[in-house]
Amino acid sequence: PPPKSATASTAASDRAEIERLVVTEMEGARDHDIDKTMSVYAPGDELVLFDAAPGVFKGYDAMKAAYLKYFAMFPGRPVTEIQDLTIGVSGDLAFAHSIQKWDFQKPDGTVLKTMHRVTNVFRRIDGKWLCVHEHASVPVNLFKEEGGQ
């Protein structure tokens, strides 16, 4: 086995790469840059998104179509923030979960303020970390009579 310091260094490097991917996806979506956004996702049919939109999107092409629809729905540049990012890595699998603030500008100029709980699963494919699963949800208070956040 590799020396313990090398293993710790690799784990830190993997966590830094996963963090970079989470940030890259958010920046790409914020900037309506489809190539940057999609660069973090695995190609083909392995990719699955459970979205807050709502919907289930299976495959790279379906995910790309969902992002392009979002870009059209919210033409302005949203205010974004990642909070409480947690990353775990084990071998060729990793996860990240966070709270993400997205303040979307609607076509009429009004702002839709949202908080999303986002979990990503990454797999190292041919030496490169890529997202193979994403789950995004919006908190709902089931104990409040009228629902809502």
Side-chain angles (χ1 to χ4, degrees), residues 53-94:
V56 176
F57 302 94
K58 295 181 180 180
Y60 182 92
D61 292 339
M63 174 77 94
K64 185 174 183 177
Y67 269 110
L68 291 172
K69 184 176 179 180
Y70 145 73
F71 294 166
M73 285 175 54
F74 301 107
R77 188 174 195 253
V79 174
T80 59
E81 180 183 351
I82 298 172
Q83 302 171 353
D84 301 325
L85 178 61
T86 300
I87 296 169
V89 178
S90 180
D92 288 337
L93 288 175

